[in-house]
Amino acid sequence: MIFNKKLAVAVSGAVLLMAGQFALADSTTDIVDALVSKGVLTEEEGKLITKGAQSKAKADEKANKSRISVGSFVDNATMYGDIRARYERREGKGNSLLANNTEKAEVNRARYKMTLGINTKSGNWYSDLAMALSAKGTSDNVTFGDTAVAAGTGMNPKTSSGLFIKRAAVGWNATDWLTIEAGRMANPLYSVNAMVFDRDIVFEGLQEKFKYKMGDIELFGTAAEWLTNGNYNRTDGTTFKNATTLLALQAGFKTPIMQTASFKGAVSYYGYGGTATGAGAFSPFTSAANNATRIGIGTAAAPGNSLAQNDLDILDLPAEINFKVSDGTGMKVYGEYANNLSGSARSAAACNQVNTNAVCGLGDDHTAWLLGLVYSSAKDLASVESGKGKEGDWSANLWYQSVGAYALDPSAVDSDIFDGRVNMEGTSLKGQYLIQDNVAFNFTGAYGRSKNRNLGAGGSGGDLALNLRDYTLYQFDLTYKF
């Protein structure tokens, strides 16, 4: 009897496994009936096994019906995304438009963001489609209650946001060392911080990514041809609409220094083309007629453009050293240096445009740099390098950065740290704790001031409608990833 019970358990497991793999309830019943007729199983044992197999088959059928169907030519599809809730406070001191008196501006708000995407793979080809709630290039946030309420629409009708295309890209793994992508794509460039390009920025065009391993040394590179503004369509039969292009080239490597330490660094070049150098040239000086939410302290007779991308040929050098401190902690020391090789020409274009001592002769600072330190919990060196953790892990990131007025693309810099401005310098701190693997709590604090007090702090920042002199930021984030 003991033998039969053991055999019944074994047969039950095999039959249920077969039912789970093939969902053949009828075949399972035939097998069980045969075993009962041979005396291997009793009728009661046979009924129990048959009932279990049938229940398993029905559950699998229901699960299959609830899955998203994709074409048979697609090998697999993976849905991903995140939802973040944020509370932040921004404070700024400086000059408002057309006024020389010092004023103070404050923004206190709760915000949220969502990204929803799906990746597919088909042989050597793949796609990435993602949607977000905001159309802004450097921010996917939506502010609580930020909407125009019409009569009869009820509470919180959200007309200030919608579902926008974040990414729409197709890629081809041409070889084991070359990948080619086209469309609206995630930023492929290695960086240690968002000083040069905000983390929310995506690019449109074509990009080629390289990776190759020689022993313990990992080589990587990117060549990208992007369109950042405008197009090449004929607009009036005789002229072409102005377009801004961005050529990005990067080459770098990662190598172990010893068993518990590594180095990673790269040389990058970003060249902007097709941009105006006349009336549309960048100037850290803006008028009311130009854009009242930008930096300005100018006059209507001295207009400027705080977002123009003319005369930008940027050499960028990011690098980092990672090492284990103890069995449970690690450290990353990182830095970045950027130099706009056409900074003097950018400064001269600003002077030519404004033609006033509010810009001319006040310097052509075209360098940017940062130095930072991350201390975190880490089980191994790979955790230190990636910055990824598990439930209970934590990290603290402290850095100082300084950005000259003519150093970087003012439309691309970090929209949070220093309100998306150039000509700013200061200190920032970010802390993170993982409540569980996919749920994180973050705190960010920053203080900065204008670097050249004689020039405006130009950029994409519109949250504080001042020509910033001093800036303070506090942010509290709760992020859920799926």
Side-chain angles (χ1 to χ4, degrees), residues 26 64-65 127 137 139-140 173 191 204 208 215 246 248 322 334 354-355 384-385 404 406 409 449 453 469 475:
D26 293 338
N64 287 332
K65 288 181 178 179
S127 69
S139 175
D140 293 336
N173 294 312
S191 65
E204 296 178 345
E208 304 82 39
L246 173 54
N322 301 280
Y334 63 92
V354 178
N355 194 23
V384 183
E385 294 171 343
Y406 302 101
D409 178 358
R449 64 195 305 271
R453 309 291 271 190
R469 292 293 183 253
Q475 288 178 334

Side-chain angles (χ1 to χ4, degrees), residues 97 138 276 278-298 302-310 312 346 349-350 353-354 359 403-413 418-423 455-468:
L97 199 65
T138 56
F282 170 82
S283 177
F285 191 81
T286 308
S287 72
N290 181 262
N291 193 333
T293 64
R294 302 304 176 193
I295 58 154
I297 56 172
N305 185 342
S306 63
L307 293 174
Q309 299 170 316
N310 61 288
L312 287 171
R346 187 169 173 83
Q353 165 154 318
V354 178
V359 170
V403 179
Y406 302 101
L408 301 175
D409 178 358
S411 67
V413 296
F418 309 146
D419 201 42
R421 315 291 186 102
V422 295
N423 191 31
L455 295 175
S460 61
D463 292 316
L464 300 176
L466 294 175
N467 177 32
L468 283 182

Side-chain angles (χ1 to χ4, degrees), residues 48-367:
L48 288 174
I49 295 173
T50 301
K51 183 178 180 181
Q54 290 173 342
S55 299
K56 181 70 166 56
K58 289 180 180 179
D60 288 345
E61 183 180 0
K62 183 177 180 181
N64 287 332
K65 288 181 178 179
S66 66
R67 292 173 184 167
I68 297 175
S69 298
V70 295
S72 59
F73 39 84
V74 175
D75 297 331
N76 60 68
T78 304
M79 185 174 290
Y80 67 91
D82 63 78
I83 299 174
R84 185 183 71 194
R86 163 178 289 180
Y87 176 79
E88 71 174 8
R89 176 181 175 86
R90 300 188 185 209
E91 301 175 3
K93 293 181 180 180
N95 305 109
S96 63
L97 199 65
L98 305 179
N100 292 321
N101 57 306
T102 299
E103 299 181 20
K104 183 178 180 180
E106 298 180 5
V107 174
N108 295 277
R109 60 189 176 187
R111 315 190 83 186
Y112 63 91
K113 64 170 287 188
M114 182 199 74
T115 302
L116 179 62
I118 183 169
N119 290 323
T120 69
K121 293 183 179 180
S122 178
N124 293 327
W125 294 82
Y126 61 91
S127 69
D128 179 22
L129 175 63
M131 310 298 287
L133 295 179
S134 175
K136 294 182 178 180
T138 56
S139 175
D140 293 336
N141 293 291
V142 178
T143 301
F144 286 14
D146 182 16
T147 185
V149 180
T153 56
M155 182 179 292
N156 288 332
K158 187 54 65 177
T159 60
S160 61
S161 68
L163 202 56
F164 299 91
I165 296 177
K166 178 70 174 178
R167 290 182 296 276
V170 59
W172 176 41
N173 294 312
T175 69
D176 57 356
W177 55 268
L178 171 63
T179 298
I180 302 173
E181 294 180 339
R184 184 173 173 86
M185 306 158 291
N187 184 357
L189 300 169
Y190 161 69
S191 65
V192 296
N193 189 279
M195 179 180 73
V196 178
F197 293 115
D198 187 279
R199 297 299 190 194
D200 288 325
I201 283 181
V202 295
F203 292 104
E204 296 178 345
L206 182 69
Q207 60 193 32
E208 304 82 39
K209 299 184 291 185
F210 309 86
K211 61 178 181 179
Y212 190 77
K213 193 167 184 178
M214 296 192 309
D216 292 332
I217 301 177
E218 299 177 17
L219 305 177
F220 61 90
T222 298
E225 307 80 35
W226 297 319
L227 190 65
T228 66
N229 185 27
N231 55 61
Y232 291 112
N233 292 334
R234 190 177 296 273
T235 57
D236 60 7
T238 58
T239 62
F240 286 90
K241 182 178 179 181
N242 187 50
T244 303
T245 59
L246 173 54
L247 171 66
L249 302 173
Q250 183 177 78
F253 71 96
K254 173 187 168 186
T255 182
I257 301 175
M258 55 185 73
Q259 188 173 0
T260 57
S262 67
F263 171 86
K264 185 176 182 179
V267 177
S268 310
Y269 168 77
Y270 315 125
Y272 290 73
T275 54
T277 56
F282 170 82
S283 177
F285 191 81
T286 308
S287 72
N290 181 262
N291 193 333
T293 64
R294 302 304 176 193
I295 58 154
I297 56 172
T299 66
N305 185 342
S306 63
L307 293 174
Q309 299 170 316
N310 61 288
D311 300 301
L312 287 171
D313 294 284
I314 301 169
L315 177 66
D316 184 29
L317 306 172
E320 64 187 71
I321 296 177
N322 301 280
F323 55 93
K324 287 280 291 174
V325 176
S326 65
D327 288 341
T329 62
M331 187 172 291
K332 180 194 298 285
V333 179
Y334 63 92
E336 189 165 1
Y337 173 79
N339 188 338
N340 179 15
L341 305 179
S342 296
S344 296
R346 187 169 173 83
S347 173
C351 177
N352 291 336
Q353 165 154 318
V354 178
N355 194 23
T356 172
N357 57 10
V359 170
C360 301
L362 297 180
D364 64 349
D365 187 357
H366 49 81
T367 62

